[in-house]
mmCIF file of all heavy atoms in Angstrom:
data_model
loop_
_atom_site.group_PDB
_atom_site.id
_atom_site.type_symbol
_atom_site.label_atom_id
_atom_site.label_comp_id
_atom_site.label_asym_id
_atom_site.label_seq_id
_atom_site.Cartn_x
_atom_site.Cartn_y
_atom_site.Cartn_z
ATOM 1 N N TYR A 5 -44.872 18.649 -0.977
ATOM 2 C CA TYR A 5 -43.535 18.913 -0.448
ATOM 3 C C TYR A 5 -43.476 20.394 -0.115
ATOM 4 O O TYR A 5 -43.653 21.226 -0.991
ATOM 5 C CB TYR A 5 -42.501 18.536 -1.516
ATOM 6 C CG TYR A 5 -41.049 18.519 -1.070
ATOM 7 C CD1 TYR A 5 -40.370 17.320 -0.918
ATOM 8 C CD2 TYR A 5 -40.352 19.702 -0.837
ATOM 9 C CE1 TYR A 5 -39.034 17.290 -0.529
ATOM 10 C CE2 TYR A 5 -39.019 19.685 -0.448
ATOM 11 C CZ TYR A 5 -38.364 18.469 -0.298
ATOM 12 O OH TYR A 5 -37.046 18.444 0.081
ATOM 13 N N LEU A 6 -43.225 20.723 1.145
ATOM 14 C CA LEU A 6 -43.181 22.114 1.598
ATOM 15 C C LEU A 6 -41.804 22.397 2.169
ATOM 16 O O LEU A 6 -41.319 21.682 3.041
ATOM 17 C CB LEU A 6 -44.264 22.352 2.662
ATOM 18 C CG LEU A 6 -44.385 23.760 3.262
ATOM 19 C CD1 LEU A 6 -44.678 24.789 2.171
ATOM 20 C CD2 LEU A 6 -45.469 23.786 4.328
ATOM 21 N N THR A 7 -41.161 23.464 1.671
ATOM 22 C CA THR A 7 -39.813 23.787 2.133
ATOM 23 C C THR A 7 -39.853 24.713 3.343
ATOM 24 O O THR A 7 -40.752 25.541 3.490
ATOM 25 C CB THR A 7 -38.987 24.447 1.014
ATOM 26 O OG1 THR A 7 -39.686 25.598 0.523
ATOM 27 C CG2 THR A 7 -38.754 23.482 -0.129
ATOM 28 N N LYS A 8 -38.877 24.537 4.216
ATOM 29 C CA LYS A 8 -38.713 25.397 5.386
ATOM 30 C C LYS A 8 -37.853 26.599 5.000
ATOM 31 O O LYS A 8 -36.962 26.463 4.166
ATOM 32 C CB LYS A 8 -38.021 24.628 6.517
ATOM 33 C CG LYS A 8 -38.787 23.426 7.038
ATOM 34 C CD LYS A 8 -37.962 22.720 8.116
ATOM 35 C CE LYS A 8 -38.702 21.530 8.703
ATOM 36 N NZ LYS A 8 -37.884 20.829 9.727
ATOM 37 N N PRO A 9 -38.079 27.761 5.647
ATOM 38 C CA PRO A 9 -39.143 28.032 6.635
ATOM 39 C C PRO A 9 -40.485 28.212 5.939
ATOM 40 O O PRO A 9 -40.538 28.604 4.772
ATOM 41 C CB PRO A 9 -38.678 29.341 7.284
ATOM 42 C CG PRO A 9 -37.893 30.025 6.211
ATOM 43 C CD PRO A 9 -37.212 28.935 5.430
ATOM 44 N N PHE A 10 -41.564 27.934 6.657
ATOM 45 C CA PHE A 10 -42.891 28.065 6.087
ATOM 46 C C PHE A 10 -43.791 28.765 7.102
ATOM 47 O O PHE A 10 -43.504 28.799 8.293
ATOM 48 C CB PHE A 10 -43.490 26.694 5.732
ATOM 49 C CG PHE A 10 -43.488 25.730 6.890
ATOM 50 C CD1 PHE A 10 -44.510 25.732 7.827
ATOM 51 C CD2 PHE A 10 -42.448 24.832 7.060
ATOM 52 C CE1 PHE A 10 -44.506 24.855 8.899
ATOM 53 C CE2 PHE A 10 -42.422 23.958 8.130
ATOM 54 C CZ PHE A 10 -43.453 23.970 9.053
ATOM 55 N N HIS A 11 -44.890 29.325 6.624
ATOM 56 C CA HIS A 11 -45.874 29.960 7.496
ATOM 57 C C HIS A 11 -46.915 28.910 7.891
ATOM 58 O O HIS A 11 -47.338 28.116 7.050
ATOM 59 C CB HIS A 11 -46.557 31.130 6.782
ATOM 60 C CG HIS A 11 -47.332 32.019 7.701
ATOM 61 N ND1 HIS A 11 -48.565 31.676 8.203
ATOM 62 C CD2 HIS A 11 -47.037 33.234 8.229
ATOM 63 C CE1 HIS A 11 -49.010 32.641 8.987
ATOM 64 N NE2 HIS A 11 -48.089 33.596 9.026
ATOM 65 N N PRO A 12 -47.332 28.888 9.166
ATOM 66 C CA PRO A 12 -48.337 27.906 9.592
ATOM 67 C C PRO A 12 -49.606 27.928 8.749
ATOM 68 O O PRO A 12 -50.225 26.880 8.541
ATOM 69 C CB PRO A 12 -48.632 28.312 11.041
ATOM 70 C CG PRO A 12 -47.391 29.005 11.500
ATOM 71 C CD PRO A 12 -46.864 29.709 10.296
ATOM 72 N N GLU A 13 -49.990 29.091 8.239
ATOM 73 C CA GLU A 13 -51.198 29.176 7.413
ATOM 74 C C GLU A 13 -51.035 28.364 6.133
ATOM 75 O O GLU A 13 -51.981 27.734 5.662
ATOM 76 C CB GLU A 13 -51.496 30.638 7.064
ATOM 77 C CG GLU A 13 -52.008 31.476 8.210
ATOM 78 C CD GLU A 13 -53.456 31.163 8.568
ATOM 79 O OE1 GLU A 13 -54.132 30.471 7.786
ATOM 80 O OE2 GLU A 13 -53.899 31.606 9.633
ATOM 81 N N GLU A 14 -49.826 28.405 5.551
ATOM 82 C CA GLU A 14 -49.597 27.650 4.321
ATOM 83 C C GLU A 14 -49.632 26.153 4.596
ATOM 84 O O GLU A 14 -50.222 25.382 3.834
ATOM 85 C CB GLU A 14 -48.268 28.021 3.676
ATOM 86 C CG GLU A 14 -48.042 27.260 2.366
ATOM 87 C CD GLU A 14 -46.766 27.635 1.653
ATOM 88 O OE1 GLU A 14 -45.957 28.378 2.233
ATOM 89 O OE2 GLU A 14 -46.574 27.170 0.513
ATOM 90 N N LEU A 15 -49.007 25.747 5.693
ATOM 91 C CA LEU A 15 -49.040 24.326 6.049
ATOM 92 C C LEU A 15 -50.473 23.860 6.257
ATOM 93 O O LEU A 15 -50.877 22.812 5.736
ATOM 94 C CB LEU A 15 -48.218 24.077 7.315
ATOM 95 C CG LEU A 15 -48.269 22.645 7.870
ATOM 96 C CD1 LEU A 15 -47.729 21.636 6.862
ATOM 97 C CD2 LEU A 15 -47.492 22.555 9.182
ATOM 98 N N ALA A 16 -51.253 24.649 7.007
ATOM 99 C CA ALA A 16 -52.644 24.273 7.280
ATOM 100 C C ALA A 16 -53.455 24.192 5.984
ATOM 101 O O ALA A 16 -54.284 23.292 5.815
ATOM 102 C CB ALA A 16 -53.280 25.279 8.238
ATOM 103 N N ALA A 17 -53.212 25.125 5.072
ATOM 104 C CA ALA A 17 -53.941 25.121 3.799
ATOM 105 C C ALA A 17 -53.611 23.869 2.987
ATOM 106 O O ALA A 17 -54.489 23.249 2.385
ATOM 107 C CB ALA A 17 -53.595 26.374 2.995
ATOM 108 N N ARG A 18 -52.349 23.486 2.982
ATOM 109 C CA ARG A 18 -51.949 22.292 2.234
ATOM 110 C C ARG A 18 -52.521 21.025 2.867
ATOM 111 O O ARG A 18 -52.911 20.082 2.162
ATOM 112 C CB ARG A 18 -50.427 22.211 2.146
ATOM 113 C CG ARG A 18 -49.826 23.286 1.242
ATOM 114 C CD ARG A 18 -48.323 23.158 1.187
ATOM 115 N NE ARG A 18 -47.722 24.211 0.377
ATOM 116 C CZ ARG A 18 -46.901 23.989 -0.655
ATOM 117 N NH1 ARG A 18 -46.618 22.763 -1.014
ATOM 118 N NH2 ARG A 18 -46.376 24.994 -1.314
ATOM 119 N N VAL A 19 -52.571 20.985 4.189
ATOM 120 C CA VAL A 19 -53.178 19.846 4.881
ATOM 121 C C VAL A 19 -54.643 19.708 4.483
ATOM 122 O O VAL A 19 -55.117 18.612 4.164
ATOM 123 C CB VAL A 19 -53.035 20.007 6.413
ATOM 124 C CG1 VAL A 19 -53.961 19.031 7.155
ATOM 125 C CG2 VAL A 19 -51.586 19.779 6.843
ATOM 126 N N GLU A 20 -55.368 20.826 4.489
ATOM 127 C CA GLU A 20 -56.791 20.795 4.124
ATOM 128 C C GLU A 20 -56.985 20.320 2.691
ATOM 129 O O GLU A 20 -57.894 19.529 2.404
ATOM 130 C CB GLU A 20 -57.400 22.182 4.316
ATOM 131 C CG GLU A 20 -57.517 22.595 5.779
ATOM 132 C CD GLU A 20 -58.096 23.980 5.941
ATOM 133 O OE1 GLU A 20 -58.598 24.532 4.940
ATOM 134 O OE2 GLU A 20 -58.050 24.512 7.066
ATOM 135 N N VAL A 21 -56.144 20.803 1.779
ATOM 136 C CA VAL A 21 -56.253 20.396 0.374
ATOM 137 C C VAL A 21 -56.019 18.898 0.220
ATOM 138 O O VAL A 21 -56.759 18.202 -0.486
ATOM 139 C CB VAL A 21 -55.259 21.191 -0.497
ATOM 140 C CG1 VAL A 21 -55.144 20.572 -1.886
ATOM 141 C CG2 VAL A 21 -55.698 22.644 -0.609
ATOM 142 N N LEU A 22 -54.994 18.390 0.891
ATOM 143 C CA LEU A 22 -54.688 16.957 0.785
ATOM 144 C C LEU A 22 -55.804 16.102 1.361
ATOM 145 O O LEU A 22 -56.135 15.047 0.809
ATOM 146 C CB LEU A 22 -53.366 16.646 1.486
ATOM 147 C CG LEU A 22 -52.100 17.150 0.795
ATOM 148 C CD1 LEU A 22 -50.872 16.862 1.649
ATOM 149 C CD2 LEU A 22 -51.939 16.521 -0.585
ATOM 150 N N LEU A 23 -56.384 16.541 2.460
ATOM 151 C CA LEU A 23 -57.487 15.784 3.054
ATOM 152 C C LEU A 23 -58.698 15.759 2.129
ATOM 153 O O LEU A 23 -59.353 14.737 1.966
ATOM 154 C CB LEU A 23 -57.862 16.380 4.414
ATOM 155 C CG LEU A 23 -56.888 16.074 5.557
ATOM 156 C CD1 LEU A 23 -57.224 16.923 6.772
ATOM 157 C CD2 LEU A 23 -56.905 14.597 5.922
ATOM 158 N N ARG A 24 -58.996 16.897 1.520
ATOM 159 C CA ARG A 24 -60.127 16.937 0.578
ATOM 160 C C ARG A 24 -59.854 16.043 -0.628
ATOM 161 O O ARG A 24 -60.720 15.315 -1.086
ATOM 162 C CB ARG A 24 -60.381 18.379 0.117
ATOM 163 C CG ARG A 24 -61.067 19.252 1.150
ATOM 164 C CD ARG A 24 -61.733 20.443 0.496
ATOM 165 N NE ARG A 24 -60.776 21.290 -0.207
ATOM 166 C CZ ARG A 24 -60.125 22.316 0.345
ATOM 167 N NH1 ARG A 24 -60.315 22.603 1.615
ATOM 168 N NH2 ARG A 24 -59.299 23.052 -0.369
ATOM 169 N N ARG A 25 -58.629 16.137 -1.139
ATOM 170 C CA ARG A 25 -58.265 15.357 -2.323
ATOM 171 C C ARG A 25 -58.354 13.857 -2.038
ATOM 172 O O ARG A 25 -58.713 13.062 -2.910
ATOM 173 C CB ARG A 25 -56.848 15.721 -2.757
ATOM 174 C CG ARG A 25 -56.449 15.149 -4.118
ATOM 175 C CD ARG A 25 -55.005 15.468 -4.412
ATOM 176 N NE ARG A 25 -54.744 16.888 -4.424
ATOM 177 C CZ ARG A 25 -53.526 17.415 -4.333
ATOM 178 N NH1 ARG A 25 -52.466 16.627 -4.204
ATOM 179 N NH2 ARG A 25 -53.359 18.722 -4.370
ATOM 180 N N ALA A 26 -58.033 13.487 -0.812
ATOM 181 C CA ALA A 26 -58.071 12.066 -0.448
ATOM 182 C C ALA A 26 -59.492 11.577 -0.223
ATOM 183 O O ALA A 26 -59.722 10.387 -0.028
ATOM 184 C CB ALA A 26 -57.231 11.834 0.804
ATOM 185 N N GLY A 27 -60.443 12.480 -0.218
ATOM 186 C CA GLY A 27 -61.832 12.098 -0.030
ATOM 187 C C GLY A 27 -62.170 11.745 1.393
ATOM 188 O O GLY A 27 -63.202 11.137 1.670
ATOM 189 N N LYS A 28 -61.293 12.149 2.330
ATOM 190 C CA LYS A 28 -61.534 11.828 3.729
ATOM 191 C C LYS A 28 -62.156 12.979 4.486
ATOM 192 O O LYS A 28 -62.550 12.828 5.629
ATOM 193 C CB LYS A 28 -60.208 11.437 4.399
ATOM 194 C CG LYS A 28 -59.632 10.134 3.892
ATOM 195 C CD LYS A 28 -58.445 9.722 4.737
ATOM 196 C CE LYS A 28 -57.944 8.350 4.312
ATOM 197 N NZ LYS A 28 -56.862 7.871 5.171
ATOM 198 N N ASP A 29 -62.184 14.152 3.850
ATOM 199 C CA ASP A 29 -62.660 15.332 4.556
ATOM 200 C C ASP A 29 -64.119 15.577 4.208
ATOM 201 O O ASP A 29 -64.447 16.424 3.389
ATOM 202 C CB ASP A 29 -61.809 16.547 4.172
ATOM 203 C CG ASP A 29 -61.865 17.625 5.219
ATOM 204 O OD1 ASP A 29 -62.552 17.425 6.235
ATOM 205 O OD2 ASP A 29 -61.229 18.665 5.025
#
């Protein structure tokens, strides 16, 4: 869960973490 406003770098970092955690990356 990410609150607005947010920095694109933080969003991208969270996306990468979730993909790794899901074992899809």
Side-chain angles (χ1 to χ4, degrees):
Y5 190 108
L6 180 59
T7 55
K8 298 178 178 179
F10 54 85
H11 194 283
E13 288 286 348
E14 182 177 8
L15 175 61
R18 290 180 183 235
V19 165
E20 291 179 11
V21 168
L22 289 176
L23 285 169
R24 284 201 300 270
R25 190 184 301 163
K28 292 188 175 184
D29 203 1

